[in-house]
Amino acid sequence: MEIKALDETVKGWLQISRKQILAAMQQPLTVATKSNRNDLVTNVDKANQAFLIQQIHAAFPEASIEGEEGQAAKADRLAGLVFFVDPIDGTMNFVKQQANFAVMIGVYQDGQPLYGAIMDVMRNEVISGGPDLSPNLNGEPLTPPLDRPFEASLVGISGPMAIKNRLHLGELGLASSGVRMSGSAGMEFKSIALGRLGGYVSWLQPWDVAAGLAIGQGFGLVVTRGDGQPLDLLEAGVVVAGMPQVHAAFIAGMNA
Amino acid sequence: MEIKALDETVKGWLQISRKQILAAMQQPLTVATKSNRNDLVTNVDKANQAFLIQQIHAAFPEASIEGEEGQAAKADRLAGLVFFVDPIDGTMNFVKQQANFAVMIGVYQDGQPLYGAIMDVMRNEVISGGPDLSPNLNGEPLTPPLDRPFEASLVGISGPMAIKNRLHLGELGLASSGVRMSGSAGMEFKSIALGRLGGYVSWLQPWDVAAGLAIGQGFGLVVTRGDGQPLDLLEAGVVVAGMPQVHAAFIAGMNA
């Protein structure tokens, strides 16, 4: 897999996705709930997932696909080439804010990250990267984020987990420089790549984390389960992403 | 006071402030703490406050000034023309993120709001407005925000107040569509004006709220103390800002 070629291909799809999403936003949305009243899906999520699946199948017929919105066959294994697709990450923001949502694609080979891309649709900004591709914003190289001590770092934490102090995350938030919440995993991983957050903890699905984990391989981001063990990219669960000092402090505090 | 002329004058100052801040960001910052370890002030806050005070004194010699960074004489009354100045709102974001901070100016006559302006420095976006000036973003009129039910609204809540469940704000956050936290009162008022948040609660200083309150007069924003009583613009305290349904639900829930 030639990563630069993959990067160009994926960015081309994302630009088409973006135009289609912006056009669809001119029409009334069809909104439905999924697991709970704040877990939404719209006609635009579904249409964009269908578009991206079509592109992936055409360009990489051998690939498996893991997608958010239920049309894709569930990959029962990570063998071979796997694309994780989140057609609209932050659907609540998409519906209520018409901003602060992302399209994300993560590409893995035999369970190992190859490449990720996060498109901030309204700002027309794509961050991409991977173990063999330096993180970049619309092609411009990014300065690697600082590895600051936890108490000197801003952190992203899931709102419900912080408020309920799940796994001590409320206390940990208070011990940081401050908690920020965007409502979109993609926006949080973008903020980490830009050095604006030292880390992020939430309960995430594989397609919420696959792109950010892959991009983070290019700048030393540590991404694990809540207990510090490696992620299982076929299961939802607590994800801790952070620069080394922030990640270590989260894991220690969450398991104290 | 001719509001359109005031708007042009203030926006002119804000553009100069912005250029000076961007230039200062190329140099190392001098950072000090104020009331606690997460309450910061930098040389840039101080320099921008000095600049804005100079402009206000020159253009409006009769005006009193309330500013964040201690150089201004404390206004002991609201009589006459009063400018509230926040030279950098969201100083923690300024220091850690180099983004998501604002310069804010609120203008009051005998305690009544006349005009407010919030500049999002890194995005070069100014929202201004007042009772006699429709809210606008860089001069483009804004669509009035929706007055949604609380449970269908995204809300901004101070991180520590939500995590500590002060005044039931943790529970209220969980009852909304979701909590968002930017770390800057100016960014929160901007999000309300853009319809991205239905309301915002935090402990604020007068210069944190003066601009947003004034702009909100142009689109039906309700801004009170935590007990629902009118704000005292000479004192710090809990501020509840919201579109009518969100504001009413916050006040009811916080005082239950």
Side-chain angles (χ1 to χ4, degrees), chain B residues 1 6 16 83-84 86 92 97 114 116 127 131-132 183 200 206 240-241 244 251 254:
Chain B
M1 178 72 59
L6 176 64
I16 299 170
F83 280 69
F84 293 84
D86 196 339
M92 181 63 83
Q97 303 196 317
L114 273 187
I127 286 184
D132 299 318
Y200 170 50
V240 182
I251 295 296
M254 291 167 65

Side-chain angles (χ1 to χ4, degrees), chain A residues 37 93 96-97 152 176 180, chain B residues 37 93 96 152 176 196:
Chain A
R37 71 180 180 88
N93 289 349
K96 303 281 186 189
Q97 303 195 317
S176 73
R180 303 290 181 261
Chain B
R37 72 182 180 90
N93 289 349
K96 302 282 184 188
S176 73
R196 295 178 184 172

Side-chain angles (χ1 to χ4, degrees), chain B residues 68-243:
Chain B
E68 181 171 10
E69 304 310 346
Q71 296 174 33
K74 179 101 180 164
D76 57 2
R77 52 195 179 88
L78 292 171
L81 187 65
V82 180
F83 280 69
F84 293 84
V85 175
D86 196 339
I88 295 196
D89 171 74
T91 302
M92 181 63 83
N93 289 349
F94 173 65
V95 171
K96 302 282 184 188
Q97 303 196 317
Q98 293 84 49
N100 304 316
F101 59 93
V103 181
M104 299 200 284
I105 294 178
V107 186
Y108 286 65
Q109 179 73 46
D110 299 319
Q112 296 304 308
L114 273 187
Y115 172 80
I118 299 171
M119 163 164 270
D120 180 338
V121 175
M122 299 313 291
R123 297 196 181 89
N124 197 14
E125 292 180 343
V126 179
I127 286 184
S128 71
D132 299 318
L133 179 70
S134 294
N136 65 89
L137 174 67
N138 290 349
E140 292 293 318
L142 290 172
T143 307
L146 297 175
D147 179 20
R148 290 175 164 130
F150 187 84
E151 64 274 15
S153 297
L154 295 170
V155 295
I157 301 178
S158 141
M161 293 178 80
I163 290 171
K164 295 175 181 173
N165 200 28
R166 291 271 189 270
L167 300 166
H168 307 285
L169 284 164
E171 297 155 53
L172 284 161
L174 296 175
S176 73
S177 281
V179 179
R180 304 290 180 261
M181 296 179 185
S182 73
S184 153
M187 294 299 98
E188 307 288 11
F189 280 107
K190 178 185 176 190
S191 289
I192 293 173
L194 293 173
R196 295 178 184 172
L197 290 180
Y200 170 50
V201 179
S202 188
W203 192 94
L204 298 176
Q205 296 283 353
W207 45 84
D208 292 322
V209 68
L213 189 162
I215 297 167
Q217 298 293 300
F219 61 83
L221 186 69
V222 187
V223 186
T224 66
R225 301 193 315 200
D227 60 6
Q229 294 300 306
L231 279 189
D232 177 350
L233 277 168
L234 296 179
E235 295 214 339
V238 175
V239 172
V240 182
M243 298 308 289

